[in-house]
Amino acid sequence: THSSGALAVNDACWTAATLVAEREGLEPRQMKGVVFESAFHGRHDRSADSTASTPKVAFRQIPKRFIRCSAPNIVIDQLGNKLDRETRDAVAKSLKGVERAFKNRESAYIIIEYPFQAEGGARLVDIKVLKRLHNLCQKYRKVLIVDCIQMGGRVFAKNKQGKITPFPAEALEYADIIIFGKVFRVS
């Protein structure tokens, strides 16, 4: 357990970097994380690297440790209606960027806020994205980190065995590492 989500993110990223580095015969400090635009994972070490570059975190980032991709978010209009074509295009562009990043031997993991990015403006992630990211991670032998810090009211679901869990079922099914922190305080 950790006193903050940023420390949990940091440990998850370093753990993933170490696992993949060992398999690739590299050093963990050489490894890169694949991160999404508009994400916020924290202000410390690898959690800052995973956060979108803003004045509040940019001075703590080490750019050689991450590859930034567009986010696979649902696109909505001003009235809150999902725009299907635009969403398909955004997800396709994002996943193409992820796959390109995964071809880099030094990429170790991808981290995504799920089910939505809150700090980046309440951007929703389609439920099918985790499966597609999981498949890419399997293909390229990378680690999928799911940051469930903002649960969006989807807490205490039942897993496949019928047990109550604080994580979305799809996160349990597809994530290699799950991070969460606020869930018990917000719910």
Side-chain angles (χ1 to χ4, degrees), residues 34-50:
V34 179
V35 302
F36 292 116
E37 65 187 13
S38 302
F40 186 90
H41 296 284
R43 297 181 182 103
H44 172 71
D45 199 25
R46 290 256 181 189
S47 67
D49 293 340
S50 301

Side-chain angles (χ1 to χ4, degrees), residues 167-181:
F167 307 111
E170 58 276 16
L172 286 171
E173 185 171 353
Y174 299 118
D176 296 306
I177 299 173
I178 299 175
I179 307 158
F180 79 110

